[in-house]
Amino acid sequence: MAPDNNAHDQGQSPGTGPDHHDRFVFPKWTNRLREAVAVAALGGVVYLVVLVAGVFSPQNSAIGYAPEQPVPYSHSLHVGELGMDCRYCHVTVETSARANVPPTATCMNCHKTVRTTSDKLAAVRKSAETGEPIHWTRVHDLPDFVYFNHAGHVQSGVGCVSCHGRVDRMEVVEQVAPLTMGWCLECHRNPDPNLRPREFVTAMDWVPEGDPAELGARLRAERKISPSVDCATCHR
Amino acid sequence: MPRPIIYVLLVLVAVSLVPMGLLYRANHLPKNQPRLQVVPDMDQQFYYKAQTENPFFADGVTMRKPPAGTVARGMLAADDAYFRGIARDTIFVAEIPATVTRPMLDRGRERFNIYCAPCHGQSGNGNGMVHARAQALGEGTWTPPTDLTSQTVVDRPAGHIYNTIANGIRTMPSYGAQLSPEDRWAVTAYVRALQLSRNATPADLPVETRAALGQ
C-alpha cells in the first residue's frame, strides 16, 4: 500500500500539497473488494443455476398436478376395484389422436340403476337430465404446438401405465410424467422397455415374464416399430 | 464500508430471496393448483379443440355433428341385414351376415371383455363385477344382467343380439356408440361361442380331446 493512503486515513489534513489535492484515494475497505466480488460472482452463478433449474424443473411445471373435478369420480374404484377396462370409457384412445373423456351417457349406463340417490352423483344426474355436459378439468395438457397421437402409441403396444402411471390406484387423476420434449425423446430413442403385446396395453399391473427390454426388442423387430425423432414428427 | 453501499447490498440480498421464495411456493403448491408456467408462449393457442366449449355455436359444443339426413361418402348403411340385423320388415336375421373367422372371434372376445363383462361377466353368465357390487350394496333399482348362455338368449336370432348391442334392451343401455357394426357382429359371434362352450357336452369335443379326457 502506498504510504500516502495511510497518511490520508490518519487524518492528516488533505490538501497539504498539490499532489494530495487532486489525487483520488481508494478507501481502506476496498482492499478486500476483489475477494468480495469473487465471492459474490460465485454466489450469483449458483443462485442463477438454482433458479433456472428450479423454474424449468418439470417437478414444478407439470408433475403432481391433480385438479379437483366437478364429480368425485374415482379410477381407483371403477378400474381398481370393479376391474373396468380403460376403453369402456376412453373409447377413442385406440383409433384417434385424442382419448375422449366419456360423455354423461357412459356414466348413466350404470348409474341409471346403481347409486341412484347418491349426492356424489347429483351433478351426473343433472347433466343427464339437462344435456349440459359435465365440465371436467383437464389434467394433462401439452403445449398446442406439439402434436401427440394416442392411437399411434396404443397400437404400437405402449401401455397407458408408461405415460399415466398407476391410474387404477388414483382417487383423483394425477399427472406423473413430465411431458417434456426430453421425456418424449428418451422413449423414442429407446422404446424397448415400454413395449408390450397389444392385448395388454390397458393392463395396469402387467409385467413381462423376462426382461422387458428383451421382449420389447423382439416386438419392435416383429412389428417394425421405429419411433421417429425428427422434429416434424411432433412439431408439424 | 459506507452505509449507503451496505444498505444497497442488503436490499439486493433481500430482493434476491423473493424469486427463491416464489420458487419454493411453486414447489409446494397444493396438488389441485395449476403448475408453474414460466414461458407460456403459444402453449395455449386460440383455436378450439375436441371436447371444449365454443361460444360461437348455439349449443356451445366445438365438435359438430353432420347435419341431419346427410350421409358421408361411402358411409351409406343400406344393407339392412348387416347394419340393422333385420332380414325383412321386423324379422331379425337368424345367422350372422358375415363369415366368422378366428380373428373376428378374437376381436369379439376383446370387445366383449371391455364392454359387456363388467355386467355380464367374462363367461357371459350374468355375474360381472358391477353386478356383484350392486348386489353387495343391495341396490333395489339394479336389474340383474341376463345370463347370455341361457336358453332364452341361445334361441334369439343373431340379429336380435346385434340389435340389443346397437340399441339396448329394456334396462340394458345401448353400446352402439362404442361398437361399430363390424364389432357388434364380432361380439355377437363371441356370445355364440360362449353359449357353445357353456352348453357343450363331451360329444361336441374332437375325438382326440375326448380320448385325452378319458371319455
Side-chain angles (χ1 to χ4, degrees):
Chain A
M1 280 299 138
D4 286 16
N5 270 354
N6 288 336
H8 184 136
D9 273 352
Q10 279 151 16
Q12 260 192 19
S13 111
T16 44
D19 311 6
H20 284 274
H21 203 65
D22 32 22
R23 211 161 7 134
F24 174 75
V25 181
F26 281 100
K28 195 178 175 196
W29 63 269
T30 53
N31 289 350
R32 305 258 290 283
L33 198 58
R34 218 170 352 159
E35 289 90 332
V37 166
V39 167
L42 207 70
V45 168
V46 170
Y47 177 84
L48 276 182
V49 167
V50 169
L51 193 67
V52 169
V55 161
F56 288 101
S57 143
Q59 202 64 43
N60 294 326
S61 58
I63 293 175
Y65 180 38
E68 247 166 73
Q69 299 289 351
V71 178
Y73 167 79
S74 157
H75 280 81
S76 119
L77 169 67
H78 290 81
V79 181
E81 288 181 38
L82 297 175
M84 292 170 70
D85 192 288
C86 312
R87 291 164 287 185
Y88 185 98
C89 293
H90 303 295
V91 180
T92 65
V93 72
E94 287 172 303
T95 48
S96 78
R98 293 275 319 241
N100 68 309
V101 166
T104 308
T106 304
C107 311
M108 290 311 272
N109 284 350
C110 291
H111 288 296
K112 210 167 45 181
T113 50
V114 177
R115 290 272 189 221
T116 46
T117 52
S118 167
D119 288 341
K120 290 186 187 169
L121 285 158
V124 178
R125 288 192 298 270
K126 184 159 158 280
S127 158
E129 259 164 46
T130 58
E132 164 85 4
I134 303 172
H135 291 253
W136 302 105
T137 307
R138 264 203 91 106
V139 187
H140 302 77
D141 201 357
L142 285 174
D144 289 348
F145 54 79
V146 181
Y147 172 78
F148 178 77
N149 189 327
H150 272 96
H153 290 90
V154 174
Q155 298 286 3
S156 304
V158 183
C160 314
V161 70
S162 298
C163 302
H164 294 301
R166 289 301 296 262
V167 177
D168 63 332
R169 291 186 187 151
M170 295 178 189
E171 281 294 330
V172 178
V173 180
E174 179 177 333
Q175 183 169 336
V176 296
L179 303 193
T180 53
M181 181 162 141
W183 176 78
C184 304
L185 289 177
E186 199 178 316
C187 179
H188 276 217
R189 294 205 178 101
N190 176 25
D192 293 356
N194 293 304
L195 293 179
R196 43 173 81 195
R198 273 264 292 119
E199 63 258 45
F200 299 118
V201 281
T202 56
M204 290 276 120
D205 50 7
W206 183 86
V207 274
E209 305 227 321
D211 179 18
E214 220 170 87
L215 173 79
R218 212 184 61 230
L219 288 170
R220 188 152 65 94
E222 258 170 36
R223 283 181 287 160
K224 300 194 174 57
I225 294 166
S226 57
S228 157
V229 288
D230 297 345
C231 314
T233 312
C234 309
H235 305 293
R236 44 176 86 178
Chain B
M1 200 188 284
R3 283 283 156 93
I5 298 191
I6 294 182
Y7 290 146
V8 166
L9 284 181
L10 280 179
V11 167
L12 270 182
V13 168
V15 167
S16 74
L17 286 177
V18 171
M20 284 297 171
L22 287 175
L23 191 61
Y24 180 85
R25 211 190 62 151
N27 220 330
H28 291 77
L29 273 180
K31 292 198 150 188
N32 59 6
Q33 297 290 309
R35 307 284 97 175
L36 185 67
Q37 201 179 19
V38 198
V39 195
D41 52 346
M42 300 187 80
D43 279 8
Q44 301 295 332
Q45 297 169 18
F46 295 101
Y47 61 85
Y48 291 100
K49 287 146 239 167
Q51 295 199 304
T52 54
E53 209 169 324
N54 189 330
F56 182 75
F57 297 107
D59 59 1
V61 178
T62 300
M63 297 190 291
R64 309 310 299 165
K65 296 195 187 81
T70 58
V71 177
R73 290 186 67 152
M75 300 296 276
L76 182 63
D79 185 352
D80 266 347
Y82 192 79
F83 291 102
R84 277 165 286 280
I86 294 172
R88 75 197 124 73
D89 301 332
T90 54
I91 302 184
F92 289 112
V93 291
E95 297 301 330
I96 297 166
T99 324
V100 178
T101 56
R102 181 74 213 200
M104 180 182 180
L105 276 176
D106 285 343
R107 174 82 182 167
R109 173 169 58 200
E110 189 190 61
R111 296 295 116 176
F112 183 91
N113 287 341
I114 297 170
Y115 297 108
C116 317
C119 294
H120 290 284
Q122 297 219 336
S123 56
N125 63 359
N127 228 339
M129 297 283 276
V130 172
H131 172 64
R133 181 60 69 100
Q135 293 279 297
L137 291 171
E139 296 280 338
T141 40
W142 177 251
T143 318
T146 312
D147 177 356
L148 300 182
T149 59
S150 66
Q151 198 56 43
T152 335
V153 185
V154 172
D155 291 340
R156 296 279 193 214
H160 188 276
I161 298 178
Y162 176 93
N163 185 60
T164 303
I165 300 172
N167 302 315
I169 190 167
R170 299 185 299 273
T171 49
M172 178 182 139
S174 143
Y175 282 83
Q178 286 89 338
L179 294 165
S180 65
E182 202 182 346
D183 283 344
R184 294 174 210 160
W185 286 120
V187 170
T188 306
Y190 185 66
V191 168
R192 285 287 191 239
L194 285 176
Q195 293 171 347
L196 267 181
S197 71
R198 278 254 144 184
N199 301 317
T201 59
D204 297 329
L205 294 173
V207 184
E208 313 87 69
T209 321
R210 245 185 291 164
L213 289 170
Q215 294 274 347

